Short mmCIF file of all heavy atoms in Angstrom, two decimals:
data_model
loop_
_atom_site.label_atom_id
_atom_site.label_comp_id
_atom_site.label_asym_id
_atom_site.label_seq_id
_atom_site.Cartn_x
_atom_site.Cartn_y
_atom_site.Cartn_z
N ASP A 323 22.14 -10.88 -39.67
CA ASP A 323 23.14 -10.56 -40.67
C ASP A 323 22.83 -9.19 -41.26
O ASP A 323 21.86 -8.55 -40.90
CB ASP A 323 23.19 -11.63 -41.77
CG ASP A 323 21.86 -11.77 -42.49
OD1 ASP A 323 21.06 -10.82 -42.41
OD2 ASP A 323 21.65 -12.82 -43.13
N ARG A 324 23.68 -8.72 -42.17
CA ARG A 324 23.52 -7.36 -42.70
C ARG A 324 22.24 -7.20 -43.49
O ARG A 324 21.73 -6.11 -43.64
CB ARG A 324 24.72 -7.02 -43.59
CG ARG A 324 26.02 -6.94 -42.79
CD ARG A 324 27.16 -6.48 -43.68
NE ARG A 324 28.40 -6.39 -42.92
CZ ARG A 324 29.55 -6.00 -43.46
NH1 ARG A 324 29.62 -5.67 -44.75
NH2 ARG A 324 30.64 -5.94 -42.70
N ALA A 325 21.72 -8.30 -44.02
CA ALA A 325 20.48 -8.23 -44.79
C ALA A 325 19.25 -8.25 -43.89
O ALA A 325 18.14 -8.19 -44.37
CB ALA A 325 20.41 -9.39 -45.78
N GLY A 326 19.49 -8.38 -42.61
CA GLY A 326 18.35 -8.40 -41.70
C GLY A 326 17.86 -9.78 -41.37
O GLY A 326 16.93 -9.94 -40.59
N GLY A 327 18.45 -10.83 -41.95
CA GLY A 327 18.01 -12.19 -41.69
C GLY A 327 18.70 -12.76 -40.46
O GLY A 327 19.53 -12.11 -39.82
N PRO A 328 18.39 -14.00 -40.15
CA PRO A 328 19.02 -14.65 -38.99
C PRO A 328 20.52 -14.74 -39.15
O PRO A 328 21.04 -14.88 -40.25
CB PRO A 328 18.35 -16.03 -38.96
CG PRO A 328 17.11 -15.88 -39.77
CD PRO A 328 17.43 -14.86 -40.82
N SER A 329 21.21 -14.71 -38.02
CA SER A 329 22.66 -14.84 -38.04
C SER A 329 23.04 -16.26 -38.40
O SER A 329 22.36 -17.21 -38.02
CB SER A 329 23.21 -14.49 -36.65
OG SER A 329 24.59 -14.72 -36.60
N PRO A 330 24.14 -16.46 -39.13
CA PRO A 330 24.60 -17.82 -39.42
C PRO A 330 24.85 -18.58 -38.13
O PRO A 330 25.19 -18.01 -37.10
CB PRO A 330 25.90 -17.58 -40.20
CG PRO A 330 25.78 -16.20 -40.75
CD PRO A 330 24.97 -15.43 -39.78
N ALA A 331 24.73 -19.88 -38.20
CA ALA A 331 24.83 -20.73 -37.01
C ALA A 331 26.21 -20.66 -36.39
O ALA A 331 26.38 -20.90 -35.20
CB ALA A 331 24.49 -22.18 -37.37
N ASP A 332 27.23 -20.35 -37.24
CA ASP A 332 28.58 -20.37 -36.69
C ASP A 332 28.96 -19.05 -36.02
O ASP A 332 30.10 -18.88 -35.60
CB ASP A 332 29.59 -20.69 -37.80
CG ASP A 332 29.50 -19.70 -38.94
OD1 ASP A 332 28.49 -18.95 -39.01
OD2 ASP A 332 30.44 -19.68 -39.77
N VAL A 333 28.03 -18.11 -35.95
CA VAL A 333 28.31 -16.82 -35.30
C VAL A 333 27.84 -16.90 -33.86
O VAL A 333 26.67 -17.14 -33.59
CB VAL A 333 27.60 -15.66 -36.03
CG1 VAL A 333 27.85 -14.35 -35.28
CG2 VAL A 333 28.11 -15.57 -37.46
N SER A 334 28.75 -16.69 -32.90
CA SER A 334 28.39 -16.77 -31.49
C SER A 334 27.65 -15.51 -31.07
O SER A 334 28.01 -14.40 -31.46
CB SER A 334 29.64 -16.93 -30.62
OG SER A 334 30.34 -18.10 -30.98
N PRO A 335 26.59 -15.65 -30.25
CA PRO A 335 25.88 -14.48 -29.77
C PRO A 335 26.74 -13.69 -28.79
O PRO A 335 27.64 -14.25 -28.15
CB PRO A 335 24.65 -15.08 -29.07
CG PRO A 335 25.08 -16.44 -28.65
CD PRO A 335 26.01 -16.91 -29.71
N PRO A 336 26.49 -12.41 -28.67
CA PRO A 336 27.27 -11.60 -27.74
C PRO A 336 26.97 -11.99 -26.31
O PRO A 336 25.92 -12.52 -25.99
CB PRO A 336 26.78 -10.17 -28.03
CG PRO A 336 25.40 -10.34 -28.59
CD PRO A 336 25.45 -11.62 -29.35
N ALA A 337 27.94 -11.73 -25.45
CA ALA A 337 27.77 -12.04 -24.03
C ALA A 337 26.67 -11.18 -23.45
O ALA A 337 26.55 -10.00 -23.77
CB ALA A 337 29.08 -11.80 -23.27
N GLY A 338 25.88 -11.77 -22.59
CA GLY A 338 24.79 -11.04 -21.97
C GLY A 338 25.27 -10.27 -20.75
O GLY A 338 26.40 -10.40 -20.29
N SER A 339 24.37 -9.43 -20.22
CA SER A 339 24.73 -8.62 -19.06
C SER A 339 24.98 -9.48 -17.83
O SER A 339 25.64 -9.04 -16.89
CB SER A 339 23.61 -7.62 -18.77
OG SER A 339 22.39 -8.29 -18.51
N GLY A 340 24.46 -10.72 -17.82
CA GLY A 340 24.69 -11.60 -16.70
C GLY A 340 26.13 -12.03 -16.56
O GLY A 340 26.52 -12.60 -15.54
N ASP A 341 26.96 -11.78 -17.56
CA ASP A 341 28.39 -12.11 -17.50
C ASP A 341 29.23 -10.92 -17.05
O ASP A 341 30.44 -11.05 -16.91
CB ASP A 341 28.88 -12.58 -18.87
CG ASP A 341 28.16 -13.85 -19.32
OD1 ASP A 341 27.92 -14.71 -18.45
OD2 ASP A 341 27.84 -13.95 -20.51
N ASP A 342 28.60 -9.78 -16.84
CA ASP A 342 29.33 -8.57 -16.46
C ASP A 342 29.78 -8.69 -15.00
O ASP A 342 28.93 -8.73 -14.10
CB ASP A 342 28.43 -7.35 -16.64
CG ASP A 342 29.14 -6.04 -16.36
OD1 ASP A 342 30.24 -6.07 -15.77
OD2 ASP A 342 28.59 -4.98 -16.71
N PRO A 343 31.07 -8.74 -14.72
CA PRO A 343 31.52 -8.93 -13.33
C PRO A 343 31.11 -7.78 -12.42
O PRO A 343 30.87 -7.97 -11.22
CB PRO A 343 33.03 -9.05 -13.44
CG PRO A 343 33.37 -8.40 -14.75
CD PRO A 343 32.21 -8.65 -15.65
N TYR A 344 31.03 -6.58 -12.97
CA TYR A 344 30.64 -5.44 -12.16
C TYR A 344 29.15 -5.51 -11.79
O TYR A 344 28.75 -5.13 -10.69
CB TYR A 344 30.94 -4.14 -12.90
CG TYR A 344 32.41 -3.93 -13.15
CD1 TYR A 344 32.96 -4.16 -14.42
CD2 TYR A 344 33.27 -3.54 -12.12
CE1 TYR A 344 34.33 -4.01 -14.65
CE2 TYR A 344 34.63 -3.38 -12.34
CZ TYR A 344 35.15 -3.61 -13.60
OH TYR A 344 36.49 -3.46 -13.81
N LEU A 345 28.34 -6.01 -12.71
CA LEU A 345 26.93 -6.18 -12.41
C LEU A 345 26.73 -7.27 -11.36
O LEU A 345 25.92 -7.12 -10.43
CB LEU A 345 26.16 -6.54 -13.69
CG LEU A 345 24.63 -6.64 -13.55
CD1 LEU A 345 24.04 -5.28 -13.24
CD2 LEU A 345 24.01 -7.21 -14.81
N LEU A 346 27.47 -8.36 -11.49
CA LEU A 346 27.39 -9.43 -10.50
C LEU A 346 27.83 -8.93 -9.12
O LEU A 346 27.22 -9.28 -8.10
CB LEU A 346 28.26 -10.61 -10.93
CG LEU A 346 27.87 -11.29 -12.24
CD1 LEU A 346 28.86 -12.40 -12.57
CD2 LEU A 346 26.46 -11.84 -12.16
N LEU A 347 28.88 -8.12 -9.10
CA LEU A 347 29.35 -7.55 -7.83
C LEU A 347 28.28 -6.67 -7.20
O LEU A 347 28.04 -6.72 -5.99
CB LEU A 347 30.64 -6.76 -8.06
CG LEU A 347 31.23 -6.05 -6.84
CD1 LEU A 347 31.66 -7.07 -5.79
CD2 LEU A 347 32.41 -5.16 -7.26
N ALA A 348 27.62 -5.85 -8.04
CA ALA A 348 26.58 -4.94 -7.53
C ALA A 348 25.42 -5.72 -6.94
O ALA A 348 24.95 -5.41 -5.83
CB ALA A 348 26.10 -4.03 -8.65
N TYR A 349 24.96 -6.74 -7.66
CA TYR A 349 23.84 -7.53 -7.14
C TYR A 349 24.25 -8.32 -5.89
O TYR A 349 23.44 -8.50 -4.97
CB TYR A 349 23.31 -8.48 -8.22
CG TYR A 349 22.27 -7.83 -9.11
CD1 TYR A 349 22.54 -7.51 -10.43
CD2 TYR A 349 21.01 -7.52 -8.61
CE1 TYR A 349 21.60 -6.91 -11.24
CE2 TYR A 349 20.05 -6.93 -9.40
CZ TYR A 349 20.34 -6.61 -10.72
OH TYR A 349 19.41 -6.00 -11.50
N GLY A 350 25.50 -8.78 -5.85
CA GLY A 350 25.96 -9.46 -4.65
C GLY A 350 25.95 -8.55 -3.44
O GLY A 350 25.54 -8.94 -2.34
N GLU A 351 26.38 -7.31 -3.63
CA GLU A 351 26.38 -6.33 -2.55
C GLU A 351 24.96 -6.03 -2.07
O GLU A 351 24.67 -6.01 -0.86
CB GLU A 351 27.06 -5.04 -3.03
CG GLU A 351 26.99 -3.90 -2.02
CD GLU A 351 27.32 -2.55 -2.64
OE1 GLU A 351 27.57 -2.50 -3.86
OE2 GLU A 351 27.30 -1.57 -1.89
N LEU A 352 24.05 -5.81 -3.02
CA LEU A 352 22.68 -5.45 -2.65
C LEU A 352 21.94 -6.62 -2.02
O LEU A 352 21.18 -6.45 -1.06
CB LEU A 352 21.93 -4.95 -3.88
CG LEU A 352 22.51 -3.69 -4.55
CD1 LEU A 352 21.66 -3.27 -5.73
CD2 LEU A 352 22.62 -2.54 -3.54
N ALA A 353 22.15 -7.82 -2.56
CA ALA A 353 21.50 -9.00 -1.97
C ALA A 353 21.99 -9.24 -0.55
O ALA A 353 21.22 -9.60 0.34
CB ALA A 353 21.76 -10.23 -2.84
N THR A 354 23.30 -9.02 -0.33
CA THR A 354 23.84 -9.18 1.03
C THR A 354 23.25 -8.17 1.99
O THR A 354 22.91 -8.49 3.14
CB THR A 354 25.37 -9.04 0.99
OG1 THR A 354 25.91 -10.06 0.15
CG2 THR A 354 25.96 -9.18 2.39
#
Side-chain angles (χ1 to χ4, degrees):
D323 60 19
R324 294 185 179 181
S329 175
D332 57 345
V333 177
S334 300
S339 60
D341 298 321
D342 184 346
Y344 296 103
L345 185 66
L346 297 177
L347 178 64
Y349 273 109
E351 174 195 2
L352 299 182
T354 299

